[in-house]
Amino acid sequence: MSTVTSISSLPATSVRSRTWKYSLLSSAYSAGRLDRVGVLGNETAGHTGCVNALSWARDGSVLLSGGDDTTVRLWHLEADSGGSDGYPFRCDTVIHTGHRANIFNAQMLPYSSRIATVAGDNQVRVFDHVKAAGQPQDNGETHYYARHAAIRVLRCHDGRVKRIVTEDSPDLFLTVGEDGSVRQHDLRVPHSCASNSCPAPLVQLDHELSTLSLSPLTPYQFVVAGASPYGYLFDRRHAGRHFREEWGQPPSQDEITTCVRRFGRTTRGRHERRGLEHITGARMASSNGHEVLLSYSTDAVYLYSTKDDPQPASIKSAGGSVLPPNKRKSSPRMSVRKSSGAGTITHQGWSERDALMDEDIERIGAEDTLSSPGRTPPPVEEDMDMDPDTEDEAEIEASGDEQHHRVPTIIPRWRYAGACNVETVKDVNFLGPRDEFVVSGSDDGNWFMWEKHTGRLHDILEGDGTVVNVIEGHPHLPLVAVSGIDTTVKLFAPSPGPNKFSRRDSATSIMERNAEAATARGELSNLMLYYRLAGQMAESSSQNLPRCPVQ
């Protein structure tokens, strides 16, 4: 606890002291001595379902948690625990939100005691428990219920609401939902959702969105992503300026915000189906305002920069952890190398069996699309040696991103692989005072930590009995909160002695198992899709056969 006290009490009045403080915090993470130092909740106290939401509030003195039990818990860091616990968090406040589905995110609004929550019931709710009457319990907790603590219930979204982003105000915040919209809510301006008087969304895309992020250094920009192979950077500085022209695009007068960049990849993940790509997490760096992380389901985590030129360029290599760009697109069948061994894997991870199945699925899907009324036939690739520009247009049409297909695309700087992101929706985050590390949860119950600028795997730590979904670093201390399928929240910090929960020594076997798990899940998904499409073809063919005269 002495290290924590010395760090948190350092004066921040000079650049020199802040630099020393940041260096001390950074060295605490770089030393590779993180270990589990606490568990919030147990079988008799705490959450009773998966913990989907974690966020630090009040400069790190409070940790908010929320989950499937539709409650929000406030864990306070006590100043004195008698020396028995280095990180004495105690839950003294429980808010029963009244949501009718899982809570996905909870944030305390700055400069206030207001707490905003979003959930699978399409609602956004705002609470102020400080001004409400609570019910004290024997265990020291005070319970607050929606009928007393809720100050606003917003039904502006038409789908599940996934994330909240706070702004530098107690009244303003952003939300993103599966209805494809990003909305700004102003608590100073009341409106009735029932009368369809909700303010226009800042963004309205034609596919589901699941993640949203902005940096406090560039609050006029935000990144959104979801059921698309691309992440999108929007700029909302519209007053008297044409930002499309400044970003090198034709201006549009019909949009509240402007999509100025897309974030994409040079190739899909091995088991991703075209048109079914999904980004589960996005994060903008708080230390510089231009770096962006995107976590792709069934693939990996990618690092981008809004300062990079939106044109193909060589991606740096770091011992095989970074994916090289494709100079030229080709079909999966053409990428399979001839070999005497059955199912030889190429550098793209395709076997001959995978390539043939992928081609059949895309062909059946195309035929099914053609048979659907009112659908425009997709472009047909008749020549494998088509012009690269034509190939790019075909890829645009196949990706389904017609809304912003002319927006310049930035390719990643780095790729961080090893974690398995298949089973659940996982967030992604930076870690460290200067965002020196990249962290992500995994389906194997571990969370992975990479060095940002080298791509090297720094550590693997056991954070959940099943799956880790959320990782949030403390704003000032070398302290990390982790949650997932378990009903508890795990705390990690530098700890003396042997690392009981570090799995770095088994990194090779863990990453191999994760790759095998992703392969098995991908093959199962491909097989199910193949059978479904084949069944549709069989049913369609049977309708055209002559009926038996005996029947």
Side-chain angles (χ1 to χ4, degrees):
M1 187 68 181
S2 59
T3 302
V4 173
T5 303
S6 63
I7 292 174
S8 59
S9 60
L10 287 174
T13 57
S14 67
V15 175
R16 185 175 181 180
S17 65
R18 287 197 299 269
T19 301
W20 186 53
K21 179 179 178 180
Y22 287 165
S23 298
L24 191 59
L25 284 172
S26 181
S27 64
Y29 285 118
S30 302
R33 304 295 300 175
L34 289 182
D35 206 4
R36 187 185 296 180
V37 296
V39 178
L40 305 184
N42 51 47
E43 295 180 355
T44 59
H47 288 283
T48 58
C50 304
V51 182
N52 309 315
L54 292 175
S55 64
W56 296 98
R58 293 179 181 168
D59 209 30
S61 63
V62 177
L63 176 66
L64 274 67
S65 64
D68 290 359
D69 60 3
T70 69
T71 67
V72 171
R73 289 180 170 266
L74 277 65
W75 307 84
H76 285 78
L77 179 60
E78 297 180 322
D80 185 12
S81 63
S84 60
D85 189 356
Y87 297 92
F89 280 89
R90 182 176 65 88
C91 179
D92 59 5
T93 302
V94 180
I95 300 176
H96 298 264
T97 63
H99 280 293
R100 290 176 298 222
N102 304 348
I103 292 176
F104 292 125
N105 206 204
Q107 298 282 344
M108 182 174 287
L109 303 184
Y111 318 115
S112 74
S113 56
R114 297 171 176 174
I115 296 174
T117 61
V118 294
D121 58 2
N122 306 355
Q123 295 182 6
V124 180
R125 295 193 170 210
V126 183
F127 304 86
D128 196 340
H129 66 284
V130 174
K131 299 179 180 180
Q135 299 181 8
Q137 307 294 309
D138 295 337
N139 60 0
E141 298 176 350
T142 301
H143 288 225
Y144 298 87
Y145 292 86
R147 62 179 178 271
H148 298 137
I151 62 174
R152 194 69 59 87
V153 177
L154 304 171
R155 300 179 177 85
C156 304
H157 287 278
D158 294 326
R160 298 194 301 176
V161 192
K162 305 305 287 288
R163 292 292 181 268
I164 304 168
V165 168
T166 61
E167 304 198 59
D168 192 31
S169 168
D171 301 302
L172 297 173
F173 62 96
L174 306 179
T175 58
V176 64
E178 292 183 348
D179 57 356
S181 69
V182 175
R183 293 182 175 273
Q184 183 184 53
H185 305 278
D186 190 342
L187 300 181
R188 298 167 299 184
V189 183
H191 71 274
S192 174
C193 298
S195 60
N196 296 324
S197 61
C198 299
L202 298 181
V203 172
Q204 183 64 65
L205 299 183
D206 55 6
H207 60 265
E208 291 184 359
L209 294 177
S210 56
T211 184
L212 168 70
S213 181
L214 63 76
S215 171
L217 298 182
T218 54
Y220 48 85
Q221 294 176 345
F222 57 85
V223 173
V224 295
S228 168
Y230 301 100
Y232 302 88
L233 176 68
F234 284 86
D235 197 313
R236 49 178 172 168
R237 298 172 295 174
H238 266 286
R241 299 170 65 181
H242 296 293
F243 276 91
R244 284 184 177 270
E245 292 180 348
E246 294 181 23
W247 288 84
Q249 301 173 70
S252 174
Q253 303 296 333
D254 299 329
E255 299 178 353
I256 298 178
T257 56
T258 303
C259 181
V260 293
R261 289 291 184 268
R262 297 191 306 178
F263 304 103
R265 299 166 296 171
T266 55
T267 185
R268 293 195 304 272
R270 176 182 175 187
H271 298 292
E272 284 181 288
R273 295 262 64 79
R274 177 180 295 182
L276 299 180
E277 299 94 338
H278 191 90
I279 298 172
T280 63
R283 193 64 61 111
M284 294 191 74
S286 59
S287 64
N288 55 53
H290 68 88
E291 289 181 322
V292 177
L293 288 174
L294 296 181
S295 180
Y296 281 81
S297 178
T298 71
D299 189 10
V301 176
Y302 292 84
L303 174 69
Y304 303 83
S305 173
T306 61
K307 293 184 177 181
D308 288 349
D309 293 331
Q311 58 188 15
S314 298
I315 304 178
K316 300 177 184 178
S317 178
S321 65
V322 179
L323 186 68
N326 287 345
K327 297 288 185 62
R328 176 178 174 80
K329 301 181 181 69
S330 61
S331 72
R333 183 189 292 273
M334 296 299 292
S335 68
V336 178
R337 298 174 180 173
K338 297 296 183 180
S339 173
S340 57
T344 301
I345 304 295
T346 70
H347 67 283
Q348 287 184 313
W350 283 89
S351 69
E352 186 172 4
R353 175 172 55 84
D354 292 332
L356 294 174
M357 179 176 289
D358 184 73
E359 188 172 275
D360 287 341
I361 289 175
E362 292 189 0
R363 175 178 56 80
I364 295 172
E367 293 174 357
D368 183 64
T369 300
L370 286 173
S371 63
S372 300
R375 298 292 300 274
T376 303
V380 179
E381 298 184 11
E382 297 179 352
D383 186 4
M384 294 307 301
D385 296 324
M386 66 168 60
D387 181 77
D389 294 337
T390 306
E391 274 191 305
D392 291 340
E393 291 299 325
E395 189 71 19
I396 288 170
E397 296 296 330
S399 70
D401 188 28
E402 298 180 3
Q403 190 174 0
H404 296 293
H405 71 273
R406 297 187 182 278
V407 176
T409 302
I410 297 174
I411 61 174
R413 290 182 169 185
W414 295 101
R415 179 179 186 263
Y416 310 93
C420 184
N421 182 10
V422 178
E423 296 292 338
T424 58
V425 176
K426 295 173 187 61
D427 216 337
V428 67
N429 211 339
F430 292 98
L431 199 61
R434 298 183 182 91
D435 299 324
E436 300 95 328
F437 298 94
V438 174
V439 292
S440 172
S442 180
D443 289 339
D444 59 357
N446 297 312
W447 60 281
F448 285 64
M449 186 175 178
W450 300 272
E451 295 175 358
K452 183 180 68 175
H453 289 304
T454 67
R456 187 176 70 88
L457 181 64
H458 185 72
D459 207 349
I460 301 176
L461 295 141
E462 181 183 328
D464 193 90
T466 307
V467 176
V468 172
N469 290 326
V470 186
I471 305 168
E472 289 291 339
H474 192 278
H476 305 297
L477 304 178
L479 179 64
V480 183
V482 175
S483 70
I485 301 301
D486 288 351
T487 60
T488 57
V489 179
K490 315 300 192 302
L491 298 178
F492 290 82
S495 178
N499 297 64
K500 298 180 180 179
F501 291 90
S502 175
R503 303 294 178 260
R504 183 171 51 186
D505 294 339
S506 304
T508 300
S509 60
I510 288 174
M511 295 171 70
E512 288 177 351
R513 287 198 301 269
N514 283 342
E516 292 173 359
T519 299
R521 180 62 182 266
E523 290 180 348
L524 178 61
S525 299
N526 293 346
L527 190 61
M528 293 176 63
L529 179 60
Y530 187 85
Y531 281 136
R532 182 176 64 84
L533 293 175
Q536 292 177 358
M537 288 188 63
E539 182 180 355
S540 177
S541 300
S542 64
Q543 294 177 355
N544 298 326
L545 294 176
R547 291 183 175 273
C548 177
V550 179
Q551 295 179 347

